[in-house]
Amino acid sequence: MENLKALAYELRENVIDMIVEGKGGHIGGDMSVMEVLTEIYFNQMNISPENVNDPDRDRFVMSKGHSVEAYYAVLAAKGFFDIKDAIAQFSKFGSKFIGHPNNKIPGIEMNSGSLGHGLPVSVGMALAGKMDDRDYRVYTVMGDGELAEGSVWEGVMSASQYKLDNLCAVVDRNRLQISGNTEDVMGHDDLHDRFASFGWNVIDVKDGNDIGQLKEAFEEARTVKGRPTVLIANTVKGKGSAVMENKANWHHKVPTGEELAQIKEDLAQRKEAALHG
C-alpha cells in the first residue's frame, strides 16, 4: 500500500510535466482524483494491456474527462503506453494525446469529457454485462460539479431500476469547479441522501486521497448485491502542494517557474513520506 501511495505522488509529477509541456491542463482535478484512479487500476480492475479485448475485462469510463492528464499517467504506469510519449505529445497538433480521453489510445474504452455522459454509458455497459451473463464490473468517475447535469440522474434511476450491482460510480467530491465552490454553483451537501433515495448503496469515503480508505470502500462495494454502489470520495482539489490545494483558480492552470519548483519539491517530499510510512 505504501508503494501505491508513493506511486500516486510520482504520477502527479508526470501530470505536472504533461501540463507544462502541453501549455495547459486541468491540474486541480487531476490532483484530487489521482488516488481514486490508482486504486481502481492497480487494486480493483481486471484490466491490462494483455486483455483489452477480453469480453470479461472490467470497464472504466472517465466521465470527468477534463482530468485526462491523471488518466494518461495511470494508464502509462499500467503499461498501456510510454509516459514519455504522453508528456512529449500532450496537446500538440496532430497528437492522439488530446485534452480529453480518446479511444484511439490503448486502454481507453470511450471518448469522454462532455459532462454527464459517463454514468449513463456505464449503465449501458453494466446492463450489457448482465444481459450477456458476464461477470465483469464497470467503474466510472464523475466530478461533483458534473452532478448538475440532468443526464447523470437519469443514469442513476436506470442503474437502480435494473439492479446493476456490477456498477460502481465514484464522485470526486473536491467541492470546487471552474466557476467556484460547488455549493455556491449548485449545492450537493445532501449527496449521500440523494443517491440513497434512488436506491443506490452509498459509501462515504472520509478521505478520498487515502489509498487505504479507498481500498476498503471498493472492497465493500463488491459485496453489495441487487443495487449499484457510489463512493463519495471527499478529496482535495490540487492535492499534493499547498501552492494548489483548495484553490478554484487551479482548476485549469499552468504553473509559473517559481510555482513549478515549489510544487515539484512538495510532491517529492510527500512521495518520500509515503514510502516510509
Side-chain angles (χ1 to χ4, degrees), residues 104-236:
K104 293 180 180 179
I105 295 174
I108 294 181
E109 295 281 351
M110 65 165 281
N111 298 357
S112 63
S114 183
L115 298 178
H117 290 186
L119 181 62
V121 170
S122 297
V123 167
M125 290 177 172
L127 183 56
K130 292 288 188 182
M131 294 173 71
D132 293 342
D133 200 27
R134 301 283 183 187
D135 62 359
Y136 64 75
R137 291 181 64 76
V138 182
Y139 296 87
T140 187
V141 173
M142 301 176 284
D144 51 0
E146 178 180 1
L147 301 184
E149 299 282 354
S151 52
V152 170
W153 300 100
E154 292 180 48
V156 169
M157 284 190 289
S158 299
S160 178
Q161 171 71 23
Y162 294 112
K163 300 178 170 53
L164 299 180
D165 50 20
N166 56 343
L167 173 63
C168 183
V170 182
V171 176
D172 181 18
R173 187 75 165 114
N174 59 39
R175 294 179 177 269
L176 291 173
Q177 58 193 94
I178 191 168
S179 46
N181 188 293
T182 56
E183 302 315 295
D184 296 329
V185 179
M186 190 65 67
H188 298 306
D189 258 337
D190 56 350
L191 203 51
H192 182 114
D193 291 340
R194 289 188 188 190
F195 274 98
S197 72
F198 283 96
W200 281 56
N201 176 55
V202 186
I203 301 174
D204 293 294
V205 184
K206 185 176 180 180
D207 183 354
N209 295 118
D210 183 278
I211 290 284
Q213 290 184 33
L214 289 167
K215 184 178 190 320
E216 184 178 328
F218 280 116
E219 293 300 329
E220 179 184 336
R222 286 179 179 274
T223 69
V224 175
K225 302 302 177 187
R227 53 182 176 154
T229 293
V230 59
L231 274 57
I232 301 174
N234 292 285
T235 63
V236 174

Side-chain angles (χ1 to χ4, degrees), residues 23-39:
K23 298 181 174 58
H26 290 85
I27 192 167
D30 287 326
M31 300 297 148
S32 65
V33 80
M34 189 60 82
E35 279 80 11
V36 170
L37 296 180
T38 301
E39 174 62 24

